[in-house]
Structure formats: C-alpha cells, structure tokens
Amino acid sequence: MTASPLSIHGLTFSYPALQGRSPHAVLDGISFRLPAACRGVILGAADQGKTTLARILAGLVPRFTGGMLQGSMTVAGRDPRETRPFDSVQTIGVVFQDADEQIFTTRCDTEVAFAMESLGIPLAAMQQRVAESLALVGLSDFTSRNPATLSGGEKKRLLIACLAAVDPDLWILDEVFQELDHTWRTALLELLVTKSKPALFFDSRWTPLYATGFSDLSVLSACRLAAVSRGGAAPDMELLCREGICLPDSAGSGRPLDGAWEPLLRVDGLSYQFPGKGSFSLNVGSLELRSGEVCALVGRNGSGKSTLGKALCGLLVPQAGTISLRAGREFRRASPAELNRSVGYMFQNPDYQIFLPTVFEELALGLRAAGIAQDVIRGRVEEAQRLFHLPPGDMPPALMSYGARKRLQAATYNLLGRRLLILDEIDSGLSYREFMSLISALVSSGSGLLLITHDAALARAIAHRVIVIDEGRIVRDSPAELFASSPGMPGESR
Amino acid sequence: MAVPSAFLPGRSILHRLDPRAKLILLVAVAACFFLPGPRWIAPAYTVFLALLVGLCLGFRELGMVLAAVVPVLAVICVLTPVFRRGGDTLVALFDVRLLTTDGLAEVLRLVSRFTGLTLAFYAVFRTLDMNEMVISLRWFGLPYRAALVLTIAFRFIPTLFGVYQSSREAHLLRMSQGRRRGFFGRTMPVLTSVVIHAVRQIPSLAMALEIRGFGRLSPRTSFRSLPSGRRLVAALALTGGLCALLIAPFVLAL
C-alpha cells in the first residue's frame, strides 16, 4: 500500500494570548488522512482555521506566528515541525489565499523561477520549466509583466505556475478557486489528475467541482473537523448547507423581501476613459438604482465593474454624462462631493478604512464627524454591534478575525446612513451564510445595494436584479429570476 | 487594484542601453553637475537631458517631470538672489538690490543642477527594469541578500502607494460628512491604515520567501543574466567613450 502523503492525528493548536486575553484556540484534536494520489478538500466558513491548518502543514505555523501545537503529523513523509520550510520546497507547495502576500518579484518569469534558483537548477532547465509552467496557466505572453499589474485570477494562476515549475509532492491550495473562473478551475483539476498529484484544497464555499475528482471532503467548524464524504462518495449536502458553505437549491433563497422601491440614482450617457491612448473606457447609456433593492453587477475581470462603482460614488469623475440623485420628487445632477456623501463604497479589503484602537471608536467616528450627540452615538453603536454580531466595544479591530473586520466595515457604513452602498467583491473569503447575514443587516436600514461579484450563482440567489457588464458596457439588466449565467461567466458556483 | 510602476516599457536607445552602462553614466552625469567648470556646461547638459527624455520617453513624460520640480525651482528662484548679492545690480527696489549678476548666475547653476539631476535619474529609472538593476548591482559586487531586499523594496513601494490611494478613497467616503478636516486630520487615518497593512505583510512575506527556498545554504543559480563576452566589451567601450565626452569640456576649460 502506498504511503499517505498527508496524515494528521489529534492536532490541536492555539495562537498565543495577546493583550491579557486568553489564547485563541483554533484546532482541537483534528485527525485526517489523504490517500495517495488523491485530492481532498477542507471547507469552512471564514475564521474557522483553514489558513492556519494549511500553514501548519507547510511548516509555517507556529514557526512564524508563535502558538501551541500538539498532536502528530506526517506531510510528504516528514513532520513539518522538524524541517525548515526552505528544505521542503520539493515536497510541499503552497498557494496562499491572498496572492499579494506571496508574490514578491517584479516580473512573472522571475517569480516562477525563484524557487528553482533556490534549488540550484541549471539555467537551461529553468528556462524550459518557466516557459512550460506559464503556458500551462495561459500566461505565456506575460513573462515580463509586473505581477502587481495582474488581475486577482491571473495572480492565482501565476502562483499555480510557480508550483507547477517545481512540482512538489503535495500541493496545498488555500482558497485558490475564489478568483479563478470555471475554465481555470477545471484546468487546475485536470492538471492534478493527470499528474496523479495529491493535493489538499481549502475553501469557504462549495462548488460542484468538489463532487467529482475529490476523494475526501471535510468541514472545519468550531475547531473540529467533520467528514462530509470519504472515498469519493456523495457529499452530505445538508451538512454543507447547515454550515452556510453551500447555497440552498432554490434561486433567490437568500434574497431580502421585495418592497416598494423608490428610484434613488440615475445614470445617463456616462463615459469615463482612463488616461492613455487605447486605454479602457466605460460607457453606460442609462441605469437606475433604487433604495431597498439588491442589484448584482457581474462581469469578467477588467469588464469595468469597479470603475462603474467608483464613478457612482464620486471617486472617479466621468468625462461625459450625468449621475443624478433623487431630491424630493425630482432628480438633480449630483456633484462628486454630493455622491461621496450619499453613496458608500465598501472595498474588498476592510483594512483600508480601519485604523482606530477599538471597535467603539471605529463605529463612533463617522457619527462624531456628523456632529451627533454623545449619548445618541452610544445607543446607535450598541445597536450596530447587535445587528452585525460585533465583539465588545473595547476590542481592538487589529485582533479581530477577517470576517469580523468585514462586519465592522459594513457596520460603519450602516451607521453613516448612506442611501446607496456599493459592495466591491466583499463576498470574497466569506461563506454564503456569512455574506447573506451581512446583506440582510445592510438592507434592514433601507439602503439600496449594488453588489459587485464574480459569483453568478450568488448573484442569482441574493439579488433582485442582475446587471451584466462587459468591456465597459452594460449588456444586460434583468430581474434575477431571468438571469442565467452566460457561457464563460466567471465564478459559476452551483 | 492598479499599481503604478517606475518602469516604462519601450524600445528607445535608453531602453536598449546596457543596464550597467546606464548606472555608470548616471554616476558620471551626476558628478559633472558638481565639477568646477564653465557656467554654460550645467545648462547645456540639462537641455541635452531634457531632449533625451523627450525623444526616448515622450514629451508628455518630460512635461510631467518638469511640472513635478517646478515648486522646488520656484523656491530656488525666490530665495537664492537674497543670499547672493555680488556683481552688478540687475533689479532694484529703492535702495534694495533684488537681483544681481552673481545671484542670477547662482540661480541658473542651481536650477540647472537640480533639473538635470532629476532628469538623469528619471531617464534611468523609467527605462531600467528593477530586476535588471538588481542584477547589475550584483555584477558590481552587491551581495545577493542586499540585492533581494532592493527587489522587494521596489516591488512593495508601488504596492504601498496603491494601498495609500485605496485607503485615501475609503476614508474620503467615510468622512465626507461634517466639518472639514485639516491636512493632518485627513492624512493620519490613511497613513495609519497603510502602516497596519505594511506591518501585516511582514510575516507573510517572510513565509512566502522561505517556502520558495530562501535561506537554503546550497548555492543558488540565476534565471536572468546580463550580456557577457563581446556585448559586454562593446557596452563598456561605449560607456567609456560617453564618459570621456562628458568630461571633455571640463578638461578643455582647464
């Protein structure tokens, strides 16, 4: 019998205590075994310890973070605690959840070659492997490109090319599907199957691809690992839905109730072109957004979703056309400053706007700036903490989990009472349940939502209306019930 | 997120010049602006560099760089004559000498020097891919680890600039109501967010380096290399010739 590439038994881990708080337990007695030449997936909502487990297996945690790790594990024939990660380049390969944390050179080809340089591989062999690996992920024309200028999906493909070039014995892939479209997800799986390469995926969402080609599926929740399927058997979908990792069957199941929506914002003949000859341009003939309505804006990478979103909140000033806001019964052309005050824009990364030492300070900041009385502020902050399931007011945001920081970001905008909120791919890294809960809390205040997402299934499930944008133009605007993902639409999840 | 980069791809003479030659010439040009010599040299070299930047990178690029230095040049033009009052009077108000021949000469010298140095560095950094610069520095004897630190710095400076822009936009939208805030009130929250982001990156970067083999004791190979043999000799000969041309006016003036 071939040895298992990955075997862990009774693994328990907690991060060190910070600022007088108790140690943060992440894993409790986890056991798992990946059969040879098989692929496994560990699903779990945000903050359940998936990234921590992935990094433990790669020998990075607790080496770089501190913490208490107990239990036994064998990864590619070794205990990661006993070898330095730089000595495991050929045995364990990792793709991080956030590609920007992992890419550090200024050219795609040197990024792919870096690990081979460390291994002392001769130049001719390196050149061949770099060319082959970049071709494998469709980045042959990007050899001299600065990786910082690539889209999220392209960065993930570049990191896959880095692994393919070294071809380690075990691939550990943390949320690698999140920014890859269906074509590249399938291509990655085919590559692993062709090579009979053992791989362990970590993901916060279920995708039908996990039902085929994966021998083991487990769910990580409340520090424990529960099996969803073993040996390629049909997965326990009920368990996945209970954990909020899987969308319920019916489209629109997560959608807030329809209401009497008032038109809120109108766009007429909007045109914006980035500087430079032949650069991307946005051209939107007409668009209307309404209060209380959830609109999804979907499209491929680079189709103009974020550009449109930034124009709607006044961060980009269009060269032509008008954006009007409702004032009483009429619509009035809005200046960028008026749009800043009326339309909120939630960035994918919550840390762009979080900077104060406590949750209370973060929530109260905008209210204080608006001149609201202290006792009113206290009441509204407490209400927001309840609505968005936030930790106590004295909690430092820097110590909060990623999901909690996203809820804090949403709560700050909710308190500001913006009439329209644009959510730029904030679903990334959150389970379906977490995201739907966030949407419900935001909609409860009556704001209109424009949800920018790659996930067509999520758009169908949660939005009242779906707008499809392609090459800077709106090509479809229809009720969510009539929306079926077009061929090649990225992120088709179910 | 669109990330700005210092390197501007192209096929101009400057782009095609050997990176080592560019670095040597940069040092030589910088030295020329500080050597004692005829007064016309610094303005002449500055005009030449402006033409070079305009022809190789485009006159729009030249305009951008000149616009960036205008505030500093304005300060030089206003303050220098105050401290240089020798020579004949050119402009006076009542009995106060506002501009003299010495003051004007000093203004020209400082303006030329500052503009020329800016254009020289701009020409090199806009046409030199950072990987090539690091390989060149290694060719000059810089240790590998120091060269890697430079690469990472050049990778992250534009990234952090992008984070700064995004954070500034996020804070602008969040704080658009209420009283108008001053410079520090606007800037400090953004800088705090950028610092938090940068600090969070440190352990991740260390992990990313180590899982790609950084720290192994075995010898590394190099994926990219600079021309050697005849091409290197030709590049060095060209560099030597250009350096001689640069210094010739100073020698002739002796």
Side-chain angles (χ1 to χ4, degrees):
Chain A
M1 186 179 152
T2 320
S4 164
L6 169 63
S7 170
I8 54 180
H9 186 74
L11 205 68
T12 298
F13 177 74
S14 56
Y15 280 110
L18 289 170
Q19 291 194 2
R21 293 165 199 275
S22 54
H24 176 208
V26 180
L27 307 172
D28 183 13
I30 285 185
S31 298
F32 181 81
R33 187 177 180 279
L34 183 69
C38 287
R39 282 142 306 280
V41 57
I42 292 180
L43 297 159
D47 315 320
Q48 297 300 320
K50 300 187 299 296
T51 295
T52 301
L53 179 55
R55 292 183 177 187
I56 287 172
L57 299 176
L60 301 170
V61 172
R63 192 183 301 279
F64 286 92
T65 59
M68 178 71 80
L69 177 64
Q70 292 170 306
S72 64
M73 57 177 166
T74 309
V75 184
R78 303 178 192 179
D79 186 332
R81 285 168 290 196
E82 290 165 8
T83 44
R84 291 289 302 236
F86 53 64
D87 284 325
S88 306
V89 178
Q90 288 166 296
T91 50
I92 306 167
V94 193
V95 171
F96 286 180
Q97 177 179 0
D98 181 355
D100 285 326
E101 289 185 345
Q102 199 171 357
I103 292 170
F104 49 80
T105 71
T106 51
R107 279 173 65 112
C108 289
D109 54 0
T110 50
E111 189 71 32
V112 175
F114 190 89
M116 290 189 284
E117 289 178 322
S118 304
L119 293 169
I121 292 173
L123 178 63
M126 265 198 287
Q127 285 171 332
Q128 187 185 346
R129 285 206 222 171
V130 166
E132 286 171 358
S133 306
L134 287 173
L136 200 65
V137 296
L139 295 178
S140 291
D141 296 334
F142 290 65
T143 49
S144 60
R145 268 275 286 273
N146 184 344
T149 63
L150 300 180
S151 71
E154 287 165 345
K155 284 177 186 168
K156 285 273 165 82
R157 278 152 55 195
L158 177 63
L159 290 174
I160 292 165
C162 293
L163 284 203
V166 177
D167 198 18
D169 297 337
L170 173 69
W171 292 35
I172 296 172
L173 306 165
D174 190 3
E175 304 267 8
V176 75
F177 276 178
Q178 288 259 331
E179 285 164 292
L180 290 183
D181 63 31
H182 188 75
T183 311
W184 288 109
R185 290 177 181 187
T186 314
L188 172 61
L189 280 182
E190 278 173 7
L191 169 73
L192 294 170
V193 170
T194 310
K195 287 173 171 271
S196 296
K197 190 61 69 181
L200 186 61
F201 286 64
F202 292 85
D203 209 334
S204 50
R205 293 185 195 170
W206 162 262
T207 162
L209 285 173
Y210 290 140
T212 56
F214 283 80
S215 66
D216 287 80
L217 276 84
S218 304
V219 168
L220 187 58
S221 176
C223 306
R224 299 277 185 160
L225 201 61
V228 178
S229 90
R230 285 277 180 269
D236 180 353
M237 297 305 287
E238 266 186 43
L239 173 62
L240 293 176
C241 288
R242 267 205 313 277
E243 290 291 333
I245 293 163
C246 177
L247 274 173
D249 278 331
S250 54
S253 50
R255 190 180 302 154
L257 292 175
D258 293 5
W261 301 315
E262 295 278 326
L264 188 67
L265 180 144
R266 258 184 206 156
V267 174
D268 289 297
L270 183 92
S271 172
Y272 179 83
Q273 175 147 30
F274 283 97
K277 196 177 173 184
S279 57
F280 176 82
S281 67
L282 177 78
N283 294 287
V284 176
S286 68
L287 176 68
E288 186 175 274
L289 297 171
R290 305 165 195 132
S291 60
E293 184 187 33
V294 180
C295 259
L297 180 63
V298 299
R300 293 179 175 83
N301 283 334
S303 56
K305 302 186 295 292
S306 296
T307 307
L308 175 58
K310 287 188 174 182
L312 294 181
C313 63
L315 287 178
L316 291 179
V317 181
Q319 284 101 359
T322 56
I323 302 174
S324 313
L325 282 169
R326 190 186 175 97
R329 289 187 175 182
E330 294 178 341
F331 275 86
R332 215 175 51 203
R333 184 181 183 141
S335 67
E338 284 170 323
L339 291 171
N340 286 172
R341 287 193 293 271
S342 303
V343 183
Y345 189 97
M346 283 175 61
F347 287 79
Q348 187 178 349
N349 187 342
D351 297 330
Y352 287 158
Q353 69 169 68
I354 293 174
F355 71 104
L356 286 167
T358 66
V359 167
F360 181 86
E361 294 292 321
E362 280 289 346
L363 293 172
L365 180 73
L367 299 176
R368 282 183 184 142
I372 294 171
Q374 188 62 28
D375 52 336
V376 178
I377 289 176
R378 191 162 292 281
R380 289 182 63 182
V381 165
E382 283 171 6
E383 191 186 326
Q385 281 176 276
R386 271 195 304 277
L387 190 63
F388 288 88
H389 313 292
L390 290 171
D394 65 343
M395 180 74 165
L399 301 184
M400 283 161 46
S401 64
Y402 180 72
R405 295 205 305 279
K406 285 220 165 179
R407 292 199 299 276
L408 175 62
Q409 180 194 23
T412 56
Y413 272 112
N414 190 253
L415 281 172
L416 293 174
R418 297 286 190 262
R419 296 157 73 187
L420 177 67
L421 276 177
I422 297 164
L423 316 181
D424 194 351
E425 297 186 25
I426 70 158
D427 55 310
S428 170
L430 295 180
S431 70
Y432 287 118
R433 176 189 290 163
E434 288 165 318
F435 186 64
M436 286 174 177
S437 151
L438 206 63
I439 294 292
S440 303
L442 288 171
V443 167
S444 66
S445 65
S447 301
L449 300 185
L450 181 65
L451 164 65
I452 297 175
T453 182
H454 287 292
D455 193 332
L458 179 71
R460 267 202 308 275
I462 213 162
H464 299 110
R465 186 154 63 108
V466 179
I467 300 163
V468 183
I469 188 167
D470 192 30
E471 294 182 356
R473 292 166 198 277
I474 290 177
V475 293
R476 184 162 183 184
D477 184 349
S478 64
E481 291 82 4
L482 302 178
F483 173 71
S485 67
S486 51
M489 178 62 73
E492 182 62 1
S493 306
R494 189 183 174 99
Chain B
M1 181 171 69
V3 178
S5 169
F7 177 64
L8 183 72
R11 296 186 56 78
S12 69
I13 298 169
L14 272 177
H15 284 91
R16 280 180 282 172
L17 193 61
D18 188 280
R20 290 160 294 195
K22 269 188 254 192
L23 290 175
I24 293 170
L25 285 169
L26 178 64
V27 174
V29 168
C32 286
F33 279 107
F34 292 93
L35 286 176
R39 284 180 173 174
W40 60 267
I41 290 184
Y45 280 12
T46 302
V47 170
F48 173 74
L49 285 166
L51 281 173
L52 191 67
V53 168
L55 292 170
C56 293
L57 298 170
F59 284 93
R60 189 176 166 174
E61 286 276 326
L62 176 64
M64 277 166 53
V65 71
L66 291 178
V69 297
V70 161
V72 179
L73 299 185
V75 172
I76 292 172
C77 292
V78 170
L79 294 182
T80 307
V82 176
F83 298 101
R84 280 289 177 125
R85 293 173 181 238
D88 300 333
T89 303
L90 294 174
V91 181
L93 187 64
F94 304 111
D95 286 341
V96 182
R97 300 166 80 196
L98 295 179
L99 182 64
T100 63
T101 47
D102 281 6
L104 182 62
E106 186 65 3
V107 165
L108 275 176
R109 193 174 67 86
L110 292 178
V111 164
S112 303
R113 182 186 287 175
F114 185 76
T115 312
L117 285 172
T118 305
L119 288 168
F121 276 88
Y122 193 79
V124 169
F125 282 93
R126 280 301 254 176
T127 58
L128 185 56
D129 170 34
M130 285 311 148
N131 289 285
E132 284 184 335
M133 191 175 97
V134 170
I135 302 169
S136 305
L137 291 175
R138 284 182 69 189
W139 188 83
F140 285 117
L142 191 73
Y144 172 74
R145 281 177 184 249
L148 184 69
V149 167
L150 267 181
T151 319
I152 290 169
F154 283 121
R155 158 78 175 80
F156 278 96
I157 288 167
T159 302
L160 288 178
F161 182 66
V163 172
Y164 176 84
Q165 284 178 320
S166 297
S167 300
R168 193 175 57 82
E169 289 176 345
H171 285 279
L172 172 75
L173 291 179
R174 190 181 170 192
M175 303 295 290
S176 55
Q177 282 164 317
R179 68 180 190 279
R180 207 175 152 74
R181 293 169 302 148
F183 175 77
F184 283 105
R186 288 195 312 271
T187 310
M188 287 314 289
V190 179
L191 287 179
T192 310
S193 298
V194 175
V195 169
I196 291 170
H197 185 93
V199 170
R200 276 179 191 275
Q201 287 271 46
I202 295 169
S204 305
L205 181 62
M207 290 182 200
L209 282 166
E210 198 153 316
I211 56 171
R212 293 258 211 109
F214 184 71
R216 287 169 73 97
L217 296 174
S218 53
R220 290 179 65 89
T221 45
S222 182
F223 178 68
R224 301 195 69 212
S225 56
L226 294 167
S228 55
R230 280 185 185 177
R231 287 181 66 190
L232 172 61
V233 173
L236 291 178
L238 178 69
T239 310
L242 289 171
C243 284
L245 274 176
L246 279 170
I247 294 170
F250 295 94
V251 177
L252 292 173
L254 284 176

